[in-house]
Amino acid sequence: MRLSCSAGDPWLPPTVDDIQPQMDRVYGQGKYVVNARDVWTHLLHYRCHDWRRMFLDFAMRAFKKQIEAAEEEVIENAQKKEAQLSQGLDDIQMPDEENDAFDLTTPEGIAEYVAYQLDGTGDGHTKHFHWKDFNAEEPGLFGTYLLLYTFAAHLSFLDTLPVDLARSEERPYTAVLMAIQAVEYMLLRWTTGAYVPPSREQKEQFSADNWGDYTESVGPKKQRILRRATKFLKTLQEWTDEDWEGFLEEAAAYKEKGRRNRRISSRASSRASSQAPDEDDVIEEAEEQFVICRR
């Protein structure tokens, strides 16, 4: 299901039209007929919830790894300095810590780092955590360590599927969009320099109500769509094969080790594209759909 729900809002639950082609593919054409209230539908809704949660877990893991790496570097540098002093070396060459942009070994440094990552770049659409280096000739949109590591959770998941089910000609738009939102939500929990778990209040949850697209009325029989989850969908759809190849290759470096594809499933059939939500009654958008041309 994670493969087929790749065309739109990652918070939308799979529909019967999404599920039926996958059931036909795995179990054979027409063996099971899916309806909106059967066990298959409810099971897949739960599984999609787990899939979304997976991105949040990996985003947190990636950030903690950054902090641990910074702490290990401080210890390593201190040990090198102590060793050189014990050898009576006067001219000790150590890394210039003032050149490091942020000190991730202190709450103050972590808070400054998070504030920078969540700050806008000035283009009206993106934040610093979206870019490897915003000012570079090849800035690397969605190529930061945090985003690549988080998205790699999806690639690791695909490695657990039977080989024929893991193959797909569709681009993983939904997985990239979910990784972007998971990293942003995670950073928002660290703005004080220490992790602050969300309260039980609904407004603090990583949920469709807070992070999914929604519509609002702007007049009689007039609505507009506000894109939160699919803000960057059009940009991803404009990526070239070369863009996708580079992105997927970079992310693959962060896949979990030791996971292997299972053998080919007993049955396979052609996949149907996931249907986008019906937007016939939406006649305008809060902001015009944009495309970020740099990658």
Side-chain angles (χ1 to χ4, degrees), residues 237-277:
Q237 290 172 337
E238 293 295 322
W239 275 11
T240 65
D241 289 343
E242 184 179 356
D243 290 333
W244 277 108
E245 182 179 349
F247 174 78
L248 293 173
E249 183 177 344
E250 291 177 38
Y254 298 103
K255 289 198 303 181
E256 288 187 324
K257 306 299 181 183
R259 289 197 173 195
R260 296 182 179 179
N261 290 98
R262 300 175 185 173
R263 291 180 297 175
I264 295 176
S265 62
S266 58
R267 294 184 180 270
S269 63
S270 60
R271 298 179 59 234
S273 298
S274 176
Q275 292 185 349

CSV table of all heavy atoms in Angstrom, one decimal, residues 237-277:
chain,number,residue,atom,x,y,z
A,237,GLN,N,7.1,16.4,-8.8
A,237,GLN,CA,6.6,15.9,-10.0
A,237,GLN,C,7.4,16.5,-11.2
A,237,GLN,O,7.4,15.9,-12.3
A,237,GLN,CB,5.1,16.3,-10.2
A,237,GLN,CG,4.2,15.5,-9.3
A,237,GLN,CD,2.8,16.0,-9.3
A,237,GLN,OE1,2.5,17.1,-9.6
A,237,GLN,NE2,1.8,15.1,-8.9
A,238,GLU,N,8.0,17.6,-11.0
A,238,GLU,CA,8.8,18.2,-12.1
A,238,GLU,C,10.3,17.7,-12.1
A,238,GLU,O,11.0,18.1,-12.9
A,238,GLU,CB,8.8,19.8,-11.9
A,238,GLU,CG,7.4,20.4,-12.2
A,238,GLU,CD,7.0,20.2,-13.6
A,238,GLU,OE1,7.8,20.3,-14.5
A,238,GLU,OE2,5.8,20.0,-13.8
A,239,TRP,N,10.7,17.0,-11.1
A,239,TRP,CA,12.0,16.4,-11.0
A,239,TRP,C,12.3,15.6,-12.3
A,239,TRP,O,11.4,14.8,-12.7
A,239,TRP,CB,12.3,15.6,-9.8
A,239,TRP,CG,12.7,16.5,-8.6
A,239,TRP,CD1,12.7,17.8,-8.5
A,239,TRP,CD2,13.1,16.0,-7.3
A,239,TRP,NE1,13.1,18.2,-7.3
A,239,TRP,CE2,13.4,17.1,-6.5
A,239,TRP,CE3,13.4,14.7,-6.8
A,239,TRP,CZ2,13.9,17.0,-5.2
A,239,TRP,CZ3,13.8,14.6,-5.5
A,239,TRP,CH2,14.1,15.7,-4.7
A,240,THR,N,13.5,15.6,-12.8
A,240,THR,CA,13.9,14.8,-13.9
A,240,THR,C,14.3,13.4,-13.4
A,240,THR,O,14.5,13.2,-12.2
A,240,THR,CB,15.0,15.4,-14.7
A,240,THR,OG1,16.2,15.5,-13.8
A,240,THR,CG2,14.7,16.8,-15.1
A,241,ASP,N,14.5,12.5,-14.3
A,241,ASP,CA,15.0,11.2,-14.0
A,241,ASP,C,16.3,11.3,-13.3
A,241,ASP,O,16.6,10.5,-12.3
A,241,ASP,CB,15.1,10.3,-15.2
A,241,ASP,CG,13.7,9.9,-15.8
A,241,ASP,OD1,12.7,10.0,-15.0
A,241,ASP,OD2,13.7,9.4,-16.9
A,242,GLU,N,17.1,12.2,-13.8
A,242,GLU,CA,18.5,12.4,-13.2
A,242,GLU,C,18.3,12.9,-11.7
A,242,GLU,O,19.1,12.5,-10.9
A,242,GLU,CB,19.3,13.4,-14.0
A,242,GLU,CG,20.7,13.6,-13.5
A,242,GLU,CD,21.4,14.6,-14.4
A,242,GLU,OE1,20.9,15.1,-15.4
A,242,GLU,OE2,22.6,14.9,-14.1
A,243,ASP,N,17.4,13.8,-11.5
A,243,ASP,CA,17.2,14.3,-10.1
A,243,ASP,C,16.8,13.2,-9.2
A,243,ASP,O,17.3,13.1,-8.1
A,243,ASP,CB,16.0,15.4,-10.1
A,243,ASP,CG,16.4,16.7,-10.8
A,243,ASP,OD1,17.6,17.0,-10.8
A,243,ASP,OD2,15.5,17.4,-11.3
A,244,TRP,N,15.9,12.4,-9.7
A,244,TRP,CA,15.4,11.3,-8.8
A,244,TRP,C,16.5,10.2,-8.6
A,244,TRP,O,16.7,9.7,-7.5
A,244,TRP,CB,14.2,10.6,-9.4
A,244,TRP,CG,12.9,11.3,-9.1
A,244,TRP,CD1,12.1,12.0,-10.0
A,244,TRP,CD2,12.3,11.3,-7.9
A,244,TRP,NE1,11.0,12.5,-9.3
A,244,TRP,CE2,11.1,12.1,-8.0
A,244,TRP,CE3,12.5,10.7,-6.6
A,244,TRP,CZ2,10.2,12.3,-7.0
A,244,TRP,CZ3,11.7,11.0,-5.6
A,244,TRP,CH2,10.5,11.8,-5.7
A,245,GLU,N,17.3,10.0,-9.6
A,245,GLU,CA,18.4,9.0,-9.5
A,245,GLU,C,19.4,9.5,-8.4
A,245,GLU,O,19.8,8.7,-7.6
A,245,GLU,CB,19.1,8.8,-10.8
A,245,GLU,CG,20.2,7.8,-10.8
A,245,GLU,CD,20.8,7.6,-12.2
A,245,GLU,OE1,20.3,8.1,-13.2
A,245,GLU,OE2,21.9,6.9,-12.2
A,246,GLY,N,19.7,10.8,-8.5
A,246,GLY,CA,20.7,11.3,-7.5
A,246,GLY,C,20.1,11.3,-6.1
A,246,GLY,O,20.8,10.9,-5.2
A,247,PHE,N,18.8,11.7,-6.0
A,247,PHE,CA,18.2,11.7,-4.6
A,247,PHE,C,18.1,10.3,-4.0
A,247,PHE,O,18.5,10.1,-2.9
A,247,PHE,CB,16.8,12.3,-4.7
A,247,PHE,CG,16.0,12.2,-3.4
A,247,PHE,CD1,16.3,13.1,-2.4
A,247,PHE,CD2,15.0,11.3,-3.3
A,247,PHE,CE1,15.6,13.1,-1.2
A,247,PHE,CE2,14.3,11.2,-2.1
A,247,PHE,CZ,14.6,12.1,-1.1
A,248,LEU,N,17.7,9.3,-4.8
A,248,LEU,CA,17.5,8.0,-4.3
A,248,LEU,C,18.8,7.3,-4.0
A,248,LEU,O,19.0,6.6,-3.0
A,248,LEU,CB,16.7,7.1,-5.3
A,248,LEU,CG,15.3,7.5,-5.5
A,248,LEU,CD1,14.6,6.7,-6.7
A,248,LEU,CD2,14.5,7.3,-4.2
A,249,GLU,N,19.9,7.6,-4.8
A,249,GLU,CA,21.2,7.1,-4.5
A,249,GLU,C,21.8,7.7,-3.2
A,249,GLU,O,22.4,6.9,-2.4
A,249,GLU,CB,22.1,7.4,-5.7
A,249,GLU,CG,23.5,6.8,-5.5
A,249,GLU,CD,24.4,7.1,-6.8
A,249,GLU,OE1,23.9,7.5,-7.8
A,249,GLU,OE2,25.6,7.0,-6.6
A,250,GLU,N,21.6,8.9,-3.0
A,250,GLU,CA,22.1,9.5,-1.7
A,250,GLU,C,21.3,9.0,-0.5
A,250,GLU,O,21.9,8.7,0.5
A,250,GLU,CB,21.9,11.1,-1.8
A,250,GLU,CG,22.7,11.8,-2.8
A,250,GLU,CD,22.4,13.3,-2.8
A,250,GLU,OE1,22.1,13.9,-1.7
A,250,GLU,OE2,22.5,13.9,-3.9
A,251,ALA,N,20.0,8.8,-0.7
A,251,ALA,CA,19.2,8.3,0.5
A,251,ALA,C,19.5,6.8,0.7
A,251,ALA,O,19.5,6.4,1.9
A,251,ALA,CB,17.7,8.4,0.2
A,252,ALA,N,19.8,6.0,-0.3
A,252,ALA,CA,20.1,4.6,-0.1
A,252,ALA,C,21.3,4.4,0.8
A,252,ALA,O,21.4,3.3,1.4
A,252,ALA,CB,20.3,4.0,-1.5
A,253,ALA,N,22.2,5.3,0.9
A,253,ALA,CA,23.4,5.2,1.7
A,253,ALA,C,23.0,5.1,3.2
A,253,ALA,O,23.8,4.6,4.0
A,253,ALA,CB,24.3,6.4,1.5
A,254,TYR,N,21.8,5.5,3.5
A,254,TYR,CA,21.3,5.5,4.9
A,254,TYR,C,20.4,4.4,5.2
A,254,TYR,O,19.8,4.4,6.3
A,254,TYR,CB,20.7,6.9,5.3
A,254,TYR,CG,21.7,8.0,5.2
A,254,TYR,CD1,21.6,8.9,4.1
A,254,TYR,CD2,22.6,8.2,6.1
A,254,TYR,CE1,22.5,9.9,3.9
A,254,TYR,CE2,23.5,9.3,6.0
A,254,TYR,CZ,23.4,10.1,4.9
A,254,TYR,OH,24.3,11.2,4.8
A,255,LYS,N,20.2,3.5,4.3
A,255,LYS,CA,19.3,2.4,4.6
A,255,LYS,C,19.8,1.5,5.7
A,255,LYS,O,21.0,1.4,5.9
A,255,LYS,CB,19.1,1.5,3.3
A,255,LYS,CG,18.3,2.1,2.2
A,255,LYS,CD,17.8,1.1,1.2
A,255,LYS,CE,18.9,0.3,0.6
A,255,LYS,NZ,18.4,-0.7,-0.4
A,256,GLU,N,18.9,0.8,6.4
A,256,GLU,CA,19.2,-0.1,7.5
A,256,GLU,C,19.9,-1.3,6.8
A,256,GLU,O,19.5,-1.8,5.8
A,256,GLU,CB,18.0,-0.6,8.2
A,256,GLU,CG,17.4,0.5,9.1
A,256,GLU,CD,16.3,-0.1,10.0
A,256,GLU,OE1,15.6,-0.9,9.5
A,256,GLU,OE2,16.2,0.3,11.2
A,257,LYS,N,21.0,-1.7,7.5
A,257,LYS,CA,21.8,-2.9,7.0
A,257,LYS,C,21.1,-4.2,7.4
A,257,LYS,O,20.4,-4.2,8.3
A,257,LYS,CB,23.2,-2.9,7.5
A,257,LYS,CG,23.9,-1.6,7.3
A,257,LYS,CD,24.1,-1.2,5.8
A,257,LYS,CE,24.9,0.0,5.6
A,257,LYS,NZ,25.0,0.4,4.2
A,258,GLY,N,21.3,-5.2,6.5
A,258,GLY,CA,20.8,-6.5,6.9
A,258,GLY,C,19.4,-6.8,6.5
A,258,GLY,O,19.0,-8.0,6.7
A,259,ARG,N,18.7,-5.9,5.8
A,259,ARG,CA,17.4,-6.2,5.3
A,259,ARG,C,17.5,-6.7,3.9
A,259,ARG,O,18.1,-6.1,3.1
A,259,ARG,CB,16.5,-5.0,5.4
A,259,ARG,CG,16.1,-4.6,6.8
A,259,ARG,CD,14.9,-3.6,6.8
A,259,ARG,NE,14.4,-3.4,8.2
A,259,ARG,CZ,13.3,-2.8,8.4
A,259,ARG,NH1,12.5,-2.5,7.5
A,259,ARG,NH2,12.9,-2.6,9.7
A,260,ARG,N,16.7,-7.7,3.6
A,260,ARG,CA,16.8,-8.3,2.2
A,260,ARG,C,15.4,-8.5,1.7
A,260,ARG,O,14.4,-8.8,2.5
A,260,ARG,CB,17.5,-9.6,2.2
A,260,ARG,CG,19.0,-9.5,2.6
A,260,ARG,CD,19.6,-10.9,2.5
A,260,ARG,NE,21.1,-10.8,2.8
A,260,ARG,CZ,21.9,-11.9,2.8
A,260,ARG,NH1,21.4,-13.1,2.6
A,260,ARG,NH2,23.1,-11.7,3.1
A,261,ASN,N,15.2,-8.3,0.4
A,261,ASN,CA,13.9,-8.6,-0.2
A,261,ASN,C,13.6,-10.1,0.0
A,261,ASN,O,14.4,-11.0,-0.2
A,261,ASN,CB,13.9,-8.3,-1.7
A,261,ASN,CG,14.0,-6.8,-1.9
A,261,ASN,OD1,15.0,-6.2,-2.1
A,261,ASN,ND2,12.8,-6.1,-1.8
A,262,ARG,N,12.3,-10.4,0.2
A,262,ARG,CA,11.8,-11.7,0.2
A,262,ARG,C,11.7,-12.2,-1.2
A,262,ARG,O,11.8,-11.5,-2.1
A,262,ARG,CB,10.5,-11.8,1.0
A,262,ARG,CG,10.5,-11.3,2.4
A,262,ARG,CD,9.1,-11.3,3.0
A,262,ARG,NE,9.1,-10.8,4.3
A,262,ARG,CZ,8.0,-10.5,5.0
A,262,ARG,NH1,6.9,-10.8,4.5
A,262,ARG,NH2,8.1,-10.0,6.2
A,263,ARG,N,11.4,-13.5,-1.3
A,263,ARG,CA,11.3,-14.1,-2.6
A,263,ARG,C,10.0,-13.5,-3.3
A,263,ARG,O,9.2,-13.0,-2.7
A,263,ARG,CB,11.1,-15.6,-2.5
A,263,ARG,CG,12.4,-16.3,-2.1
A,263,ARG,CD,12.2,-17.8,-2.0
A,263,ARG,NE,11.3,-18.2,-1.0
A,263,ARG,CZ,10.8,-19.4,-0.8
A,263,ARG,NH1,11.3,-20.4,-1.5
A,263,ARG,NH2,9.9,-19.6,0.2
A,264,ILE,N,10.0,-13.7,-4.6
A,264,ILE,CA,8.8,-13.2,-5.4
A,264,ILE,C,7.5,-13.8,-4.8
A,264,ILE,O,7.5,-15.0,-4.5
A,264,ILE,CB,9.0,-13.6,-6.9
A,264,ILE,CG1,10.3,-12.9,-7.4
A,264,ILE,CG2,7.8,-13.3,-7.7
A,264,ILE,CD1,10.6,-13.3,-8.8
A,265,SER,N,6.5,-13.0,-4.8
A,265,SER,CA,5.2,-13.4,-4.2
A,265,SER,C,4.6,-14.4,-5.2
A,265,SER,O,5.0,-14.5,-6.4
A,265,SER,CB,4.3,-12.2,-4.0
A,265,SER,OG,4.1,-11.6,-5.3
A,266,SER,N,3.6,-15.1,-4.7
A,266,SER,CA,3.0,-16.2,-5.6
A,266,SER,C,2.2,-15.6,-6.7
A,266,SER,O,2.0,-16.3,-7.7
A,266,SER,CB,2.1,-17.0,-4.7
A,266,SER,OG,1.1,-16.2,-4.1
A,267,ARG,N,1.7,-14.4,-6.6
A,267,ARG,CA,0.9,-13.9,-7.7
A,267,ARG,C,1.3,-12.4,-7.9
A,267,ARG,O,1.7,-11.7,-7.0
A,267,ARG,CB,-0.6,-13.9,-7.4
A,267,ARG,CG,-1.1,-15.4,-7.3
A,267,ARG,CD,-2.6,-15.3,-7.1
A,267,ARG,NE,-3.2,-16.7,-7.0
A,267,ARG,CZ,-3.6,-17.4,-8.1
A,267,ARG,NH1,-3.5,-16.8,-9.3
A,267,ARG,NH2,-4.1,-18.6,-7.9
A,268,ALA,N,1.2,-12.0,-9.1
A,268,ALA,CA,1.4,-10.6,-9.4
A,268,ALA,C,0.6,-10.1,-10.6
A,268,ALA,O,0.3,-10.9,-11.5
A,268,ALA,CB,2.9,-10.4,-9.8
A,269,SER,N,0.1,-8.9,-10.5
A,269,SER,CA,-0.7,-8.3,-11.6
A,269,SER,C,-0.3,-6.9,-11.7
A,269,SER,O,0.3,-6.3,-10.9
A,269,SER,CB,-2.2,-8.5,-11.4
A,269,SER,OG,-2.6,-7.8,-10.2
A,270,SER,N,-0.8,-6.2,-12.8
A,270,SER,CA,-0.4,-4.8,-13.0
A,270,SER,C,-1.1,-4.0,-11.9
A,270,SER,O,-2.2,-4.3,-11.4
A,270,SER,CB,-0.9,-4.3,-14.3
A,270,SER,OG,-2.3,-4.5,-14.4
A,271,ARG,N,-0.4,-2.9,-11.5
A,271,ARG,CA,-0.9,-2.0,-10.5
A,271,ARG,C,-1.7,-0.9,-11.1
A,271,ARG,O,-1.4,-0.4,-12.2
A,271,ARG,CB,0.3,-1.4,-9.7
A,271,ARG,CG,1.1,-2.4,-9.0
A,271,ARG,CD,2.3,-1.8,-8.3
A,271,ARG,NE,1.8,-0.8,-7.3
A,271,ARG,CZ,2.2,0.5,-7.3
A,271,ARG,NH1,3.1,0.9,-8.2
A,271,ARG,NH2,1.7,1.3,-6.4
A,272,ALA,N,-2.6,-0.4,-10.4
A,272,ALA,CA,-3.4,0.8,-10.8
A,272,ALA,C,-2.9,2.0,-10.0
A,272,ALA,O,-2.6,1.8,-8.8
A,272,ALA,CB,-4.9,0.5,-10.5
A,273,SER,N,-2.9,3.1,-10.6
A,273,SER,CA,-2.5,4.3,-9.9
A,273,SER,C,-3.5,4.7,-8.8
A,273,SER,O,-4.7,4.6,-8.9
A,273,SER,CB,-2.3,5.5,-10.9
A,273,SER,OG,-1.4,5.2,-11.8
A,274,SER,N,-2.9,5.2,-7.7
A,274,SER,CA,-3.8,5.7,-6.6
A,274,SER,C,-4.5,6.9,-7.1
A,274,SER,O,-4.0,7.8,-7.8
A,274,SER,CB,-2.9,6.0,-5.4
A,274,SER,OG,-3.7,6.6,-4.4
A,275,GLN,N,-5.8,7.0,-6.7
A,275,GLN,CA,-6.6,8.2,-7.2
A,275,GLN,C,-6.4,9.3,-6.2
A,275,GLN,O,-6.3,9.2,-5.0
A,275,GLN,CB,-8.1,7.8,-7.2
A,275,GLN,CG,-8.4,6.8,-8.3
A,275,GLN,CD,-9.9,6.5,-8.3
A,275,GLN,OE1,-10.6,7.0,-7.5
A,275,GLN,NE2,-10.3,5.9,-9.4
A,276,ALA,N,-6.3,10.5,-6.8
A,276,ALA,CA,-6.1,11.7,-6.0
A,276,ALA,C,-7.5,12.1,-5.4
A,276,ALA,O,-8.5,11.7,-5.9
A,276,ALA,CB,-5.6,12.9,-6.9
A,277,PRO,N,-7.5,12.8,-4.3
A,277,PRO,CA,-8.8,13.2,-3.7
A,277,PRO,C,-9.6,14.1,-4.7
A,277,PRO,O,-9.0,14.8,-5.5
A,277,PRO,CB,-8.4,14.0,-2.5
A,277,PRO,CG,-7.0,14.4,-2.7
A,277,PRO,CD,-6.4,13.3,-3.6
